[in-house]
Amino acid sequence: MTNGEGGTAVRGREPGGCAGESAGVRGGGWSAVGALAAATFTVVTSEMLPVGLLTPIGRELRVSDGTAGLTLTVTGLVAAVAAPVLTLLVGRRDRRAVLVALMGTLAVANLVAAYAPNAAVLLTARVLVGLGMGGVWAIAAGLAVRLVPGRRVPAATSLIFSGVAAASVLGVPAGTFLGELGGWRSAFVAMAVVCGAVAVALAVLLPPLPEDRAVRLNGVLRLLRGASVRTGLLLVALLVTGHFAAYTYVRPVLEQVAGARADQIGTLLLAFGLAGLAGNFAAGAGAARAPRAALLVICGVLAGAVLLVPLLGRGAGVPGAAVLVAVWGLAYGGVSVSTQTWLMAAAPGAREAASALFVAVFNGAIALGALLGGRAADGWGAVGVMWLGGVLAVGALVTVGVGRAPGK
């Protein structure tokens, strides 16, 4: 059968009566959902770890901030390709085994990064990070329907994506603090240990998750015929590119515009992450009821906060920057769960294929945002980075306002 957006829905029955790509499985529950939340936390922290460490990485490896930012660009590009490709290649294999193997890959990648003698080796390690995170995110994002009853799926999806916000709350600031205390390499070692622990948790807490039918390339491409799917993917591209164009370089921006000291950066990033965690759960509840309304608010608030940083940051100093960063985090914290909810509603019978497209576009946008932000940082300075991010967020606001919403 086909869904309303041209995607192919695969017959099967999920726990709680939810349709999905495969038959229901036994086991799972909230402990399994928690393990997946830990996995999304770990992959996003691994990806974003260089954000708070760009300055010391660039200093030790003798490269510019823009060049150091390529550690994010490379990871995002690889993850964008890995998400759909790995989803196709794993076929009907047990998703639990695949997730455990991918988390092991992330552990190795972080160890290689920790001992990288130069930028080339560090970038190679970041390729492995992209491979692992693209696969983990694409597979984990759509598993809530297989682990909890249907009425609990929105809450479980929010919990899985809370790992993204928690990575900002704990992961990136903790990496920044570790970098200050023991050098940037110690942050990557710690991340490798966390990846190994999460791999064990996934192996123990997830039930077997075999697929009745493999995702096919024509099924993925067929989803693109749906207007609401295309709108959702464009929205993801604009929002995430704009955010990462600015956020990748948030440390030099806070230092140059607001006059923040190195020992204040971790606190400011913690404020961003705490607000983001709150935004994730608020947006998850709102998007389940009205995805367009939730995303209109998210886009408007995010655009306003980013555009105000260069206008108010200099005059208001660190306290003013802290408020803007917190508002920015509140808005961005809802992006992942709201856009994922949009795409799941647009392609209810092809969740894993939709997740693969979502993760591909999301990570391609991270790469593009880091790249464009790097060019803006090197050419226009910190103010230019903020204006670029704000303009793209305004574009996302227009897109969600005029584009086709799910079910319309």
Side-chain angles (χ1 to χ4, degrees), residues 322-401:
V323 172
L324 290 173
V325 165
V327 173
W328 181 358
L330 182 68
Y332 186 73
V335 168
S336 297
V337 67
S338 295
T339 50
Q340 177 79 13
T341 298
W342 178 297
L343 286 167
M344 292 298 96
R351 292 176 180 272
E352 192 165 282
S355 292
L357 287 174
F358 169 78
V359 176
V361 173
F362 199 106
N363 284 281
I366 291 175
L368 181 60
L371 180 62
L372 294 179
R375 303 290 71 78
D378 289 344
W380 303 335
V383 172
V385 169
M386 292 294 104
W387 285 115
L388 174 61
V391 167
L392 289 171
V394 170
L397 179 63
V398 173
T399 298
V400 74

Side-chain angles (χ1 to χ4, degrees), residues 14-241:
E14 304 282 349
C18 292
E21 286 82 30
S22 63
V25 296
R26 305 182 71 177
W30 289 103
S31 61
V33 172
L36 291 176
T40 60
F41 165 82
T42 305
V43 299
V44 173
T45 300
S46 293
E47 181 181 30
M48 296 303 302
L49 201 57
V51 168
L53 304 170
L54 280 183
T55 301
I57 288 174
R59 185 186 304 121
E60 182 173 339
L61 299 183
R62 300 180 184 276
V63 295
S64 69
D65 284 341
T67 300
L70 290 175
T71 55
L72 279 171
T73 303
V74 168
T75 302
L77 285 174
V78 174
V81 175
V85 170
L86 286 175
T87 301
L88 295 171
L89 290 179
V90 296
R92 298 171 58 186
R93 290 179 179 84
D94 184 354
R95 272 30 182 177
R96 178 178 63 178
V98 173
L99 287 170
V100 171
L102 290 171
M103 290 304 305
T105 301
L106 279 165
V108 172
N110 280 297
L111 280 178
V112 173
Y115 295 101
N118 52 51
V121 174
L122 179 59
L123 289 175
T124 300
R126 299 295 293 173
V127 168
L128 290 175
V129 171
L131 180 66
M133 77 154 294
V136 169
W137 196 344
I139 293 170
L143 288 180
V145 296
R146 301 185 63 184
L147 299 172
V148 298
R151 67 185 183 281
R152 302 296 186 188
V153 168
T157 301
S158 292
L159 182 56
I160 290 172
F161 277 96
S162 72
V164 177
S168 299
V169 176
L170 299 174
V172 175
T176 304
F177 282 124
L178 282 174
E180 294 295 329
L181 292 174
W184 63 269
R185 297 178 186 277
S186 65
F188 285 97
V189 172
M191 198 67 250
V193 174
V194 173
C195 288
V198 172
V200 173
L202 290 171
V204 172
L205 296 176
L206 286 181
L209 293 167
E211 284 291 329
D212 287 343
R213 298 187 184 182
V215 175
R216 302 296 183 190
L217 179 60
N218 61 349
V220 175
L221 296 178
R222 194 176 294 118
L223 290 179
L224 296 175
R225 297 176 185 172
S228 61
V229 171
R230 294 197 302 270
T231 298
L233 293 175
L234 178 59
L235 176 60
V236 171
L238 290 169
L239 265 179
V240 178
T241 299

